[in-house]
Amino acid sequence: MDLGHYAPLGAEALLTAVSLLVVLVGLFTKGRSSLPGYLSLAALIVAMWMVLTAETGTVFFYDSLRVDGFSQFFKAVFVLVSLLVVIASLTRYNGRPGGDEYFALLLMATVGMMVVASAIDLVSLFIGFELASLSTYAMAGFDKTKKNLEAAMKYFLYGAASSAFMLFGFSMLYGMTGSTKIADIAGASLAAFNPAILIALIFVVVGFAFKMALVPFHMWAPDTYEGAPALVSALLAAGSKKMGFAAAFRVILIALLALKLEWYMAFAILAAVTMTVGNLVACWQNNVRRILAYSSIAQAGYISIAFVVLGVASEGMTGPNNLPLDQYALAGGLLLVLGHAIMKTGAFISTAQVASIAKNSEDPDDISNYAGLGRRAPVTAFCMTIFMFALAGIPPTAGYFGKFVVFGSAIYGGLVWLAVLAILNSALSLYYYLRIISYMYLREPAGPKISESKGYVLSLLLALIGTFWIGVLPDGFFNWAMQAAAALLP
Amino acid sequence: MISNAISIMIAVPLVGAVLAFLTRSRGQARLVALIASLVPLALALQMYTEFDKSSKLMQFVESYNWVPSIGVRYTVGVDCISFPLVLLTAIVSVLVVIYAWGENHRPNQFFALLLLNEVGVLGVFTALDFFLFYIFWEIVLIPMFFLIGIWGGPRKDYSAIKFFIYTHVASLVMLLAIFAMYFTYRLPDGSRTFDMLTLLQATSDKTVFPPGLINAIFAGLLFGFLVKMPAFPFHTWLPDAHVEAPTAGSVVLAALLLKMGGYGIFRVILPMLPHVDKAFVTVIAVIGVLSIIYGAFLALAQKDIKKLVAYSSISHMGFVTLGAVAFTWLSIQGAMFQQFSHGIITCALFMSAGTIQHSVGTRIISELGGLADRMPKFASLMLAAFLASLGLPGMSGFVAEFMVLTGSYATFPVYTMLVVFTSVGVTAGYHLWACQKVLFGPILKKYLDIHDPHAYEILAMSAIVFLTLLFGLQPALITDIMGTAAHQVMEPVVTLSQMGVI
């Protein structure tokens, strides 16, 4: 066997090996060593480098995994999110009993997501999905408080249901086309229209929609994000949710090309309802993590606009500078995915910082704990403020640029109503983001000044740099996203 | 001239804002702020000496590729329309820092935000790419939100959020209109551009922009600018924001932020005016007239001196709207001068209100009286400011409003006479009434131990009164530039009658 051939999968192999190693280290040191955290950190940094430099365009394991620009983009997002979460987790979990398991699960989850990004076969896709899901189910209940367990339970039940839907859809597709290869299914569905494919499609969409937390399949997300340990919520909202998008882009786009018209309308409605409901409900929340959860639902709605545009984009439709419209829309979706991953990770890590200092409180994430944070924890508050403005789409940040491309693609595609609705939603979202900011800076402090944990601060600053980097110098990221999109489109 | 003057002008306050934020004491923060705001002033004055007042072209232009994949460039430059406002921004920013010299509540953040504000406003006035323009337009909201929210009065939370959301929604409507232009127009090589001048030029092309579309774009942009100005009936965010903002915030808000709306009218709306539905002209003129009259009457009814000044701003900005849309050479020139003049005068008005609040502890007019007795220096400056605001000949406000009214008469005789007969009297009335009540008469017993404000407050106000007189007596210093600007705007079509409006 020529091992060199598998070099593009090196990042996955490395992370898998290190996750096993971490468990061993934990076993021999009874979980008291601080080695697991640093090992994971080093592994993720190396993995990031491997992902970015991997040779693309290769297919592995009997056409079931493909390393291309698209998978590379998503893998970079996943590794980045895990990296930020690991840095923040060092102070919280490293060297504590159970810490080794935490880091091992986190690496496993990352590998699962990376497999999904590469999967071009329904079976490997499902395996990746389940690997990531099972790891994160365990992580959601990691601190074993009552809230944790409830969150983990809800997440598990909904996740299992979504897997079941998805698997049923897959099995129907397999039954009708005789193949689990996404490309074969695409060919078969193009060749002959079969109404049963539509039913399969509905099941698959429902399965993915759970993961992406699109309305009305979003119910679990606020409860889970609120109840899970905050750092795990960061991983869920920024990482495993994006896994849903990675899968949906690949499967729906390619496999069901023939049914374009049907799914474009479905996604238009899903997107419109998702962003509106997400934003409206967020205005009513008093728990910051719930606000972030609903905001992340709304953001999923914005990203879904890319699906809709892909549905209407026909041959020859172009965006700016004669770029093909479908590629432009998909690139916009990818930019939103990347930007949202960074901003949301940062925002959830900020909540983790606040929760760690909100002592003697029934609800550590209640917005009242954020009063005067600007003076109690200046760095956290400052970063959180930037993330809030960025999520609201205020320039010059990642949030603005991503929205600019996606909303613009909707206008190009003739979906002006959707673009207008999205922009109005953006304005609406400002209300709850400003509310958090106003608590942090406009209220009297709710407690004494505290020392901010170094791990959290480092991770927040990295996310902050990312947020501005994409916003101020978007060209490189845009071109990268365009290449990633080109790799996926037929 | 230093190359990249405009970029340096924007960059220095930005760096200054970061440095000021990192300082540990009030002394350091305000020193950083002063230096960082003096640099743009020095550059602006240097530019003034080299500025070609007769040229209709952009000057000091810098242009770099920024996001080439979607046609965004970093392009800045000034012409006769924008240069006076750049100058105004540079002057006001320094004076605000001086006026706020004694700020002791979180001074590092306070001065950093003032500088950040300057960055945004300078950017808006110099950006020549819609993408860049929008970024600066939005950046301005952030420091103002915090200035109101942290240093504001009792209802600061409500006012800050209302200010942000109200004006942000207006900006988004403007953004949609910008999108519509960007997505409709292609350069000859098929690519897209955000270049402001190119897009505005393109709006005259009826094959690219059919009448329905151009009207929609125009309405969207107009809405964005009228809210910012603010014009009746979109003015309701302003009194809240002003009343709750700290003095320096109010000054920046009235002197600079409102001017962004007016600038939008000159830069974007007027070049498009010949190509849109002629009914817009009447609508805008009516909005201007109503703002003037309604603002004046509202000011007359106020009990709080700061509210009075806030509503008077609506009235004075109405002259900008009216003069701009009357579209004669004199009226446009007057409207531009009104922007500049109001920018200066309003500083002195809000500083007066602020100083009274700081020294006496209340701004309620009926609780004040005879302050001139104990605060003679302040009283003379406040009186001068109020007289300038009501339009006393010899001061800049008179020149501006006179030019607007004379110029507008040719186009809108009825509206102009309506303004002359209703608002001029009322304006004089509330200004004089407020001065008389606050400054003169017997001093109230409880105010026997108050005294003139700090030297820095007097210094800032004196500088403004001096400028008011300077531009009142020698308006040509700056109206030369506006005259060229008015020609520039009107060049494609000379008058409204030639456009077929009247």
Side-chain angles (χ1 to χ4, degrees):
Chain A
M1 195 169 79
D2 176 18
L3 271 180
H5 171 69
Y6 292 97
L9 293 179
E12 285 92 329
L14 174 74
L15 292 181
T16 313
V18 173
S19 77
L20 298 176
L21 183 66
V22 162
V23 177
L24 278 181
V25 170
L27 202 61
F28 286 112
T29 58
K30 302 207 175 73
R32 306 240 174 259
S33 161
S34 56
L35 205 54
Y38 294 111
L39 266 178
S40 314
L41 180 64
L44 283 166
I45 292 173
V46 177
M48 183 58 134
W49 175 77
M50 289 167 100
V51 165
L52 292 179
T53 56
E55 188 189 335
T56 54
T58 335
V59 177
F60 302 95
F61 302 125
Y62 309 100
D63 292 349
S64 64
L65 290 180
R66 196 172 116 131
V67 178
D68 55 13
F70 178 80
S71 67
Q72 188 188 32
F73 189 94
F74 268 101
K75 280 189 208 173
V77 170
F78 299 143
V79 175
L80 181 64
V81 170
S82 301
L83 196 58
L84 293 174
V85 173
V86 163
I87 295 173
S89 304
L90 286 177
T91 29
R92 177 77 181 79
Y93 292 106
N94 206 14
R96 310 268 171 95
D100 51 329
E101 293 159 24
Y102 175 87
F103 287 103
L105 285 171
L106 196 147
L107 293 182
M108 269 307 171
T110 314
V111 172
M113 296 178 210
M114 291 165 83
V115 169
V116 171
S118 289
I120 52 168
D121 181 291
L122 296 180
V123 176
S124 58
L125 182 79
F126 191 74
I127 289 174
F129 238 103
E130 287 306 293
L131 181 57
S133 299
L134 289 170
S135 313
T136 46
Y137 296 153
M139 290 175 79
F142 202 81
D143 287 353
K144 301 189 186 68
T145 63
K146 206 175 151 220
K147 260 190 148 169
N148 270 187
L149 298 177
E150 187 192 325
M153 190 51 122
K154 272 199 174 127
Y155 179 41
F156 172 68
L157 289 178
Y158 278 100
S162 80
S163 297
F165 275 113
M166 195 172 23
L167 198 57
F168 187 57
F170 286 174
S171 66
M172 284 179 77
L173 287 176
Y174 175 61
M176 278 178 288
T177 61
S179 170
T180 56
K181 304 266 175 292
I182 293 173
D184 293 349
I185 296 171
S189 65
L190 272 174
F193 175 75
N194 180 346
I197 290 188
L198 193 62
I199 298 172
L201 160 73
I202 292 169
F203 280 105
V204 174
V205 167
V206 168
F208 290 161
F210 268 114
K211 258 295 173 270
M212 297 184 276
L214 300 184
V215 175
F217 310 108
H218 66 287
M219 310 292 187
W220 60 275
D223 292 339
T224 304
Y225 294 173
E226 181 199 350
L231 296 170
V232 177
S233 300
L235 186 73
L236 293 181
S240 76
K241 180 173 193 167
K242 302 297 172 287
M243 172 177 75
F245 279 98
F249 276 124
R250 222 188 256 281
V251 173
I252 298 182
L253 192 71
I254 298 184
L256 306 158
L257 213 54
L259 297 164
K260 245 184 176 182
L261 278 177
E262 282 74 9
W263 65 261
Y264 126 69
M265 231 17 240
F267 267 110
I269 295 165
L270 271 182
V273 173
T274 301
M275 59 197 177
T276 311
V277 170
N279 280 322
L280 279 177
V281 180
C283 292
W284 267 270
Q285 305 300 320
N286 275 324
N287 179 302
V288 172
R289 275 211 258 161
R290 285 187 85 82
I291 296 179
L292 290 179
Y294 279 106
S295 112
S296 134
I297 291 168
Q299 301 275 347
Y302 303 142
I303 302 174
S304 305
I305 293 177
F307 288 115
V308 190
V309 181
L310 288 168
V312 293
S314 54
E315 198 72 29
M317 284 175 86
T318 56
N321 292 356
N322 296 327
L323 303 169
L325 181 57
D326 48 358
Q327 194 188 348
Y328 184 69
L330 187 50
L334 295 181
L335 279 173
L336 266 187
V337 164
L338 173 66
H340 183 245
I342 296 175
M343 299 180 293
K344 254 301 154 24
T345 317
F348 271 113
I349 292 174
S350 307
T351 68
Q353 172 76 76
V354 177
S356 73
I357 58 175
K359 282 175 189 147
N360 310 325
S361 170
E362 295 263 308
D363 185 358
D365 295 308
D366 192 81
I367 195 162
S368 60
N369 280 323
Y370 286 71
L373 199 68
R375 270 187 278 173
R376 295 166 60 209
V379 181
T380 309
F382 179 77
C383 294
M384 183 81 167
T385 304
I386 301 292
F387 298 138
M388 295 297 104
F389 278 129
L391 284 167
I394 303 284
T397 57
Y400 172 70
F401 190 73
K403 279 185 187 174
F404 169 81
V405 177
V406 171
F407 297 178
S409 72
I411 297 180
Y412 279 114
L415 297 157
V416 177
W417 66 273
L418 197 57
V420 171
L421 187 68
I423 287 183
L424 290 180
N425 260 296
S426 266
L428 176 64
S429 73
L430 196 59
Y431 170 74
Y432 55 84
Y433 293 126
L434 279 182
R435 210 166 141 239
I436 299 178
I437 297 172
S438 80
Y439 264 87
M440 291 193 294
Y441 283 100
L442 315 189
R443 304 262 171 144
E444 285 309 306
K449 193 171 159 62
I450 44 96
S451 66
E452 295 164 87
S453 136
K454 283 200 187 87
Y456 288 169
V457 166
L458 178 62
S459 159
L460 286 177
L461 290 178
L462 286 175
L464 187 74
I465 292 170
T467 306
F468 276 120
W469 194 359
I470 303 174
V472 176
L473 298 170
D475 214 43
F477 292 96
F478 178 74
N479 289 330
W480 184 27
M482 285 297 279
Q483 281 165 18
L488 184 64
L489 292 167
Chain B
M1 184 72 206
I2 312 163
S3 58
N4 305 339
I6 295 178
S7 295
I8 297 173
M9 223 178 195
I10 297 172
V12 169
L14 185 61
V15 174
V18 176
L19 291 179
F21 188 75
L22 297 175
T23 53
R24 290 265 160 245
S25 72
R26 179 176 75 180
Q28 291 167 350
R30 64 192 184 188
L31 191 66
V32 169
L34 185 64
I35 294 169
S37 58
L38 276 172
V39 172
L41 179 61
L43 283 166
L45 291 175
Q46 168 75 14
M47 277 162 86
Y48 181 79
T49 60
E50 294 181 23
F51 190 80
D52 181 358
K53 294 181 189 178
S54 58
S55 166
K56 291 173 188 165
L57 300 173
M58 282 291 164
Q59 304 178 37
F60 308 104
V61 178
E62 298 166 49
S63 188
Y64 311 99
N65 253 338
W66 182 19
V67 195
S69 23
I70 54 167
V72 177
R73 293 180 68 84
Y74 171 89
T75 310
V76 290
V78 287
D79 63 355
C80 292
I81 299 177
S82 50
F83 184 66
L85 294 170
V86 171
L87 196 60
L88 173 74
T89 310
I91 295 173
V92 169
S93 299
V94 173
L95 295 178
V96 163
V97 170
I98 294 176
Y99 182 82
W101 206 243
E103 180 64 53
N104 51 21
H105 180 50
R106 304 199 221 169
N108 62 331
Q109 294 171 21
F110 187 81
F111 286 107
L113 292 171
L114 283 182
L115 289 174
L116 194 58
N117 223 333
E118 186 180 4
V119 173
V121 178
L122 280 175
V124 167
F125 292 149
T126 54
L128 294 175
D129 183 286
F130 269 122
F131 195 88
L132 189 65
F133 177 80
Y134 182 74
I135 288 179
F136 284 122
W137 187 274
E138 287 293 273
I139 283 181
V140 171
L141 299 182
I142 294 170
M144 195 40 82
F145 171 78
F146 287 114
L147 281 172
I148 298 173
I150 300 179
W151 290 270
R155 290 170 72 235
K156 56 190 183 176
D157 286 28
Y158 168 80
S159 303
I161 293 185
K162 178 173 177 183
F163 160 77
F164 202 122
I165 293 184
Y166 205 124
T167 50
H168 179 68
V169 169
S171 311
L172 286 175
V173 174
M174 181 184 86
L175 183 67
L176 267 177
I178 294 175
F179 269 9
M181 279 195 274
Y182 170 77
F183 290 133
T184 315
Y185 179 71
R186 280 168 189 277
L187 291 173
D189 66 354
S191 59
R192 311 265 173 185
T193 181
F194 272 106
D195 188 78
M196 281 170 101
L197 303 180
T198 313
L199 283 177
L200 289 174
Q201 180 79 40
T203 52
S204 63
D205 188 341
K206 292 269 189 296
T207 58
V208 177
F209 292 95
L213 179 64
I214 192 76
N215 284 336
I217 293 173
F218 185 82
L221 292 167
L222 186 67
F223 177 73
F225 299 140
L226 287 182
V227 168
K228 205 80 178 183
M229 280 188 70
F232 171 84
F234 313 116
H235 63 280
T236 57
W237 63 269
L238 179 96
D240 282 311
H242 266 318
V243 170
E244 299 304 321
T247 306
S250 300
V251 169
V252 172
L253 190 60
L256 305 179
L257 264 60
L258 307 192
K259 302 303 170 285
M260 288 161 49
Y263 172 69
I265 301 266
F266 295 117
R267 169 66 66 217
V268 178
I269 294 297
L270 288 188
M272 291 172 70
L273 200 59
H275 317 301
V276 296
D277 198 316
K278 305 307 172 226
F280 274 119
V281 175
T282 316
V283 171
I284 301 171
V286 168
I287 286 178
V289 170
L290 283 177
S291 300
I292 298 173
I293 298 174
Y294 184 66
F297 275 98
L298 280 176
L300 190 62
Q302 296 310 315
K303 297 185 175 70
D304 179 336
I305 196 160
K306 200 168 181 185
K307 260 192 173 160
L308 178 144
V309 176
Y311 280 111
S312 86
S313 287
I314 298 173
S315 177
H316 286 125
M317 290 305 285
F319 281 94
V320 177
T321 324
L322 177 65
V325 80
F327 216 75
T328 65
W329 180 70
L330 192 60
S331 74
I332 294 180
Q333 201 181 336
M336 289 182 182
F337 191 46
Q338 172 74 350
Q339 284 248 82
F340 188 82
S341 156
H342 179 255
I344 297 175
I345 296 173
T346 199
C347 290
L349 296 181
F350 276 111
M351 286 178 185
S352 304
T355 303
I356 292 175
Q357 166 83 43
H358 305 160
S359 311
V360 184
T362 179
R363 293 187 310 248
I364 305 301
I365 297 171
S366 58
E367 293 174 11
L368 295 164
L371 295 185
D373 199 47
R374 289 283 178 260
M375 310 170 82
K377 289 182 204 155
F378 167 75
S380 50
L381 290 170
M382 174 169 164
L383 187 62
F386 273 63
L387 290 176
S389 180
L390 74 79
L392 188 76
M395 298 172 107
S396 63
F398 170 74
V399 183
E401 289 178 15
F402 184 81
M403 282 161 87
V404 169
L405 291 175
T406 319
S408 306
Y409 184 76
T411 317
F412 304 115
V414 178
Y415 295 161
T416 311
M417 293 325 279
L418 198 64
V419 168
V420 171
F421 283 113
T422 51
S423 93
V424 173
V426 174
T427 307
Y430 68 78
H431 281 106
L432 291 176
W433 168 72
C435 268
Q436 195 278 330
K437 191 74 191 65
V438 172
L439 297 176
F440 303 114
I443 175 102
L444 298 180
K445 275 206 183 101
K446 53 185 167 178
Y447 300 140
L448 282 175
D449 53 351
I450 59 163
H451 45 78
D452 257 327
H454 298 287
Y456 48 80
E457 296 184 11
I458 295 290
L459 175 67
M461 287 180 70
S462 312
I464 291 164
V465 170
F466 168 74
L467 289 174
T468 317
L469 281 166
L470 177 70
F471 290 110
L473 297 172
Q474 190 51 273
L477 282 173
I478 197 114
T479 48
D480 282 358
I481 304 180
M482 287 140 182
T484 313
H487 274 305
Q488 179 190 333
V489 170
M490 296 178 64
E491 199 164 342
V493 259
V494 181
T495 59
L496 285 186
S497 57
Q498 277 161 315
M499 280 160 54
V501 176
I502 49 168

